[in-house]
């Protein structure tokens, strides 16, 4: 029942990219249509963490803008709780203790990141949570790893954004797009309004979205 939108640019403007170092996502709490926005410019593994983190805010019944900076000390109880929830859901402490070999090298961090399908930064945080790292060591390693991740993301920045009809529904929220399409086909929403809601201008684009998404 939660709308989830994923986008790495402002609207559809590929020249206005969203920076993961500025924000990871946000949650809008609403009893009818709660919404989670995930910064699509972030790594896929980081997006997964952000989604669960923001879902935590929805569970708390609050809206929030999150940078998910796990190496920063904070007194925000909600942020701490949402980070703990996301970390425990994705990387349970009971299993990471057994999986960890014993040296937080890049190779070991990447191995565990693949194992749990999270970012290496999340793995570092869990190693700290299990007391395998001190706070100072964790912060130092986190800063180094963060710069490495950012550099790797920038090197992939010129890659293609993929097929429009695969990415556009994610930007809108598939659930929202399907609801608009269904209501339009049933005669409830005028096509002109549907085009505006779906960010399209041509009927053929609408038809292609129908074929990709389907109707509820």
């Amino acid at each position: 029942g939660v709308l989830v939108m994923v986008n790495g640019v402002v609207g559809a403007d590929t020249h206005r990219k969203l920076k993961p170092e500025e924000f990871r996502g946000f949650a809008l709490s609403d009893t009818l249509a709660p919404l989670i926005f995930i910064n699509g410019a972030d790594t896929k593994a980081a997006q997964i963490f952000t989604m669960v983190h923001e879902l935590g805010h929805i569970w708390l019944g609050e809206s929030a803008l999150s940078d998910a900076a796990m190496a920063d000390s904070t007194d925000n109880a909600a942020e701490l709780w949402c980070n703990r929830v996301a970390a425990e859901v994705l990387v349970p402490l009971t299993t990471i203790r057994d999986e960890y070999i014993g040296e937080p090298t890049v190779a070991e961090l990447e191995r565990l990141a693949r194992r749990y399908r999270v970012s290496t930064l999340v793995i570092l945080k869990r190693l700290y949570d299990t007391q395998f790292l001190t706070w100072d060591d964790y912060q130092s390693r986190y800063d180094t790893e963060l710069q490495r991740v950012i550099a790797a993301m920038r090197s992939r920045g010129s890659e293609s954004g993929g097929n429009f009809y695969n990415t556009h529904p994610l930007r809108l929220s598939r659930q929202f797009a399907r609801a608009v399409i269904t209501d339009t086909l049933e005669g409830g929403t005028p096509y002109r309004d549907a085009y505006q809601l779906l960010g399209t201008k041509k009927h053929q684009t609408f038809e292609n979205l129908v074929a990709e998404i389907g109707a509820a």
Side-chain angles (χ1 to χ4, degrees):
V2 179
L3 302 178
V4 179
M5 305 172 68
V6 184
N7 201 353
V9 298
V10 177
D13 188 348
T14 57
H15 297 290
R16 300 178 64 190
K17 295 185 178 181
L18 303 176
K19 297 180 179 179
E21 54 266 36
E22 293 184 356
F23 87 106
R24 304 281 188 179
F26 62 80
L28 297 178
S29 178
D30 185 87
T31 55
L32 180 63
L35 182 144
I36 291 173
F37 181 91
I38 299 171
N39 190 339
D42 215 343
T43 64
K44 294 301 179 184
Q47 290 178 40
I48 293 172
F49 184 90
T50 298
M51 183 171 67
V52 183
H53 175 98
E54 301 305 335
L55 185 58
H57 284 294
I58 297 296
W59 287 335
L60 290 175
E62 65 175 26
S63 299
L65 174 67
S66 305
D67 61 9
M70 294 171 291
D72 293 339
S73 178
T74 177
D75 294 327
N76 189 315
E79 283 295 303
L80 289 171
W81 185 82
C82 291
N83 270 345
R84 287 199 298 269
V85 168
E88 185 62 23
V89 167
L90 298 171
V91 189
L93 286 183
T94 54
T95 61
I96 192 69
R97 286 193 179 98
D98 295 333
E99 289 279 348
Y100 181 51
I101 291 178
E103 182 62 33
T105 62
V106 171
E108 175 63 359
L109 294 177
E110 290 183 337
R111 182 186 72 83
L112 291 172
R114 288 192 298 270
R115 165 72 174 80
Y116 291 98
R117 292 182 173 86
V118 297
S119 70
T120 51
L121 299 173
V122 173
I123 295 298
L124 269 176
K125 177 60 166 62
R126 296 311 266 165
L127 294 181
Y128 166 72
D129 291 339
T130 55
Q131 298 183 341
F132 286 131
L133 299 174
T134 65
W135 174 251
D136 289 342
D137 190 22
Y138 164 61
Q139 282 192 306
S140 175
R141 291 178 182 276
Y142 186 98
D143 290 341
T144 299
E145 183 62 14
L146 178 60
Q147 295 307 312
R148 189 184 73 84
V149 170
I150 290 174
M153 289 173 59
R154 285 174 177 166
S155 69
R156 296 194 298 266
S158 59
E159 294 181 0
S160 171
N163 184 285
F164 171 83
Y165 296 104
N166 290 332
T167 58
H168 197 58
L170 294 178
R171 293 174 178 173
L172 298 169
S173 161
R174 281 185 175 274
Q175 188 171 351
F176 172 76
R178 187 175 290 113
V180 171
I181 287 172
T182 299
D183 198 59
T184 302
L185 296 178
E186 291 177 349
T189 300
Y191 277 89
R192 181 183 60 187
D193 293 345
Y195 297 162
Q196 185 175 7
L197 289 168
L198 296 174
T200 66
K201 294 182 179 179
K202 299 179 180 178
H203 183 72
Q204 186 58 53
T205 305
F206 175 84
E207 292 293 338
N208 290 341
L209 284 172
V210 173
E212 171 63 28
I213 301 173

